[in-house]
Amino acid sequence: YLGVKGAAGTIVDGIGHVIRAPTERLMGGVDGFMKTIAERQSLAATAYRIANAESLANDWTQEQTLKRLDELVQNPTPEMLQEANENALHVTFQTPLGDWGKTVQKAAGANPFTQFFMPFVKTPANLMKQGFLERTPLALITDKYRNDIAAGGARAQMAKARMYIGTSFVMAAGTLAATGQITGGGSNNWSVKKAQLDSGWRPYSFVTTDDKGKKTYISYQRTEPLSYIFSTIADFHDTMKLQHGTGVSDEKQAEVLTGALITAVSHATLDRSFMTGLESAMDVMSNPNATKVNSFIKRLVNAQVPFSGTRRDMTRLFDDSKKMTDSIFTEIQANI
């Protein structure tokens, strides 16, 4: 798997299978379970739609309609099964990638180094597509939207609904960001961000204020793919706020807006759990000082110990305080 030949390669592959076995079996089962739920949802919805249309066309009684509905659920047509499968892939962000996505996926898997920092390509790509393309006016320029509209019927209605509702969320996110009711990723300066965190502020969260002025932060990071919209708008607002009053000329406004949007999209994309490795590597390469390199190496070694994510999450259940570590061994210890 890592390009090691001979007996050493066989040993490395064997160790890899042992380490990954529990996680792969667990994730495979969960993934299959979620796909099955999505398929059954789609079959039920499609069966109801067909039975209802036939009932209206033939003036059936309620009993006849329910019988037909049961027949379709128990014996779905090939078209229904295909639609259910496509829905399952869409809901779990596993829709096959297009040409551009396949190119990136192939490049990421070309060697162990790039694959280590970019283990996932399909899921992040589909999250971005569903967040930025399907649910914003940008959908109008995509082939998928035009194909769905050309197909007509429920498929066209769903495509329009995703775009209209997503666009309304963009407008709502803009208002919430401007009034301080949602937060972005915060400052890129660690000392400033630490001060923000110490004050009780939390990144990528909804903010509510009670009668006494106490603020409560509720994270929206797990509400994919809509969290992409909220986080991008919030980061865009924060970036533009930093530019306010800096004396930028009118001729430079378009350039500033474009730069702020690119910054917001990249920030919102990289600040995801499945992009942590790539973000850390890019951060070190852009500013390779001793502190960042040391921190990166500690996290890198800790990640090689099996179940690093599970260990971290279990530790947080009992103690969510941030630990200061000064070596690889204390970094591992902080996660157990």
Side-chain angles (χ1 to χ4, degrees):
Y1 181 74
L2 297 177
V4 181
K5 306 297 182 183
T10 302
I11 293 173
V12 170
D13 286 348
I15 293 173
H17 282 303
V18 172
I19 291 175
R20 294 194 307 270
T23 307
E24 284 182 340
R25 290 180 183 276
L26 177 63
M27 292 182 67
V30 172
D31 183 66
F33 177 69
M34 299 307 296
K35 281 187 171 71
T36 299
I37 290 177
E39 288 175 351
R40 298 306 301 175
Q41 288 175 333
S42 177
L43 287 174
T46 308
Y48 176 83
R49 190 164 63 239
I50 295 174
N52 191 52
E54 293 179 353
S55 176
L56 293 173
N58 299 300
D59 195 24
W60 285 346
T61 63
Q62 184 178 19
E63 289 74 15
Q64 290 174 309
T65 305
L66 291 174
K67 181 180 179 181
R68 177 55 174 161
L69 175 62
D70 185 62
E71 290 175 355
L72 289 169
V73 170
Q74 298 300 326
N75 300 289
T77 64
E79 291 77 15
M80 292 174 61
L81 291 173
Q82 180 180 350
E83 184 176 342
N85 180 63
E86 291 176 355
N87 182 66
L89 294 175
H90 186 269
V91 168
T92 55
F93 311 111
Q94 294 297 306
T95 303
L97 298 174
D99 293 337
W100 183 85
K102 289 178 180 178
T103 301
V104 175
Q105 188 176 41
K106 185 177 180 180
N111 61 73
F113 180 79
T114 55
Q115 193 172 38
F116 182 85
F117 293 108
M118 289 186 65
F120 309 109
V121 175
K122 182 184 289 186
T123 299
N126 279 309
L127 282 168
M128 290 184 67
K129 285 164 58 177
Q130 290 191 33
F132 292 136
L133 296 182
E134 292 184 8
R135 289 170 171 80
T136 69
L138 292 176
L140 295 169
I141 66 174
T142 64
D143 291 335
K144 185 180 186 304
Y145 182 83
R146 288 195 291 267
N147 292 336
D148 287 343
I149 296 300
R155 186 174 165 184
Q157 292 169 9
M158 288 298 294
K160 291 178 181 179
R162 280 192 288 265
M163 185 187 71
Y164 295 158
I165 294 175
T167 301
S168 69
F169 271 105
V170 171
M171 299 171 66
T175 301
L176 293 173
T179 56
Q181 296 181 70
I182 61 173
T183 61
S187 175
N188 289 326
N189 185 305
W190 169 241
S191 60
V192 175
K193 189 166 185 177
K194 184 177 183 301
Q196 289 179 311
L197 293 170
D198 290 343
S199 69
W201 175 93
R202 289 295 178 267
Y204 299 123
S205 301
F206 292 107
V207 185
T208 60
T209 307
D210 61 19
D211 296 336
K212 297 180 180 179
K214 181 181 178 180
K215 292 183 177 181
T216 301
Y217 294 84
I218 304 172
S219 175
Y220 57 74
Q221 282 188 286
R222 299 298 182 182
T223 58
E224 308 290 7
L226 291 176
S227 65
Y228 260 116
I229 295 175
F230 282 100
S231 57
T232 301
I233 296 296
D235 282 334
F236 177 76
H237 178 268
D238 289 347
T239 304
M240 291 304 299
K241 190 163 60 174
L242 290 174
Q243 295 287 344
H244 182 69
T246 56
V248 177
S249 63
D250 293 339
E251 292 77 12
K252 290 286 186 179
Q253 282 296 327
E255 182 179 332
V256 170
L257 285 170
T258 302
L261 182 59
I262 293 173
T263 300
V265 171
S266 61
H267 197 178
T269 301
L270 288 174
D271 200 358
R272 306 278 161 171
S273 59
F274 45 76
M275 299 293 281
T276 302
L278 180 62
E279 181 188 24
S280 299
M282 291 173 63
D283 189 34
V284 170
M285 288 187 289
S286 64
N287 187 16
N289 59 60
T291 302
K292 286 187 176 182
V293 172
N294 182 49
S295 178
F296 176 72
I297 292 174
K298 287 191 298 182
R299 291 196 303 269
L300 191 66
V301 174
N302 179 59
Q304 304 316 301
V305 181
F307 306 110
S308 58
T310 303
R311 287 187 288 106
R312 181 183 64 250
D313 292 340
M314 290 297 294
T315 301
R316 286 177 178 173
L317 289 176
F318 300 98
D319 183 6
D320 63 355
S321 60
K322 179 68 176 177
K323 303 294 193 303
M324 297 296 292
T325 61
D326 56 8
S327 70
I328 293 173
F329 297 106
T330 54
E331 179 73 17
I332 296 175
Q333 183 181 1
N335 284 279
I336 52 174

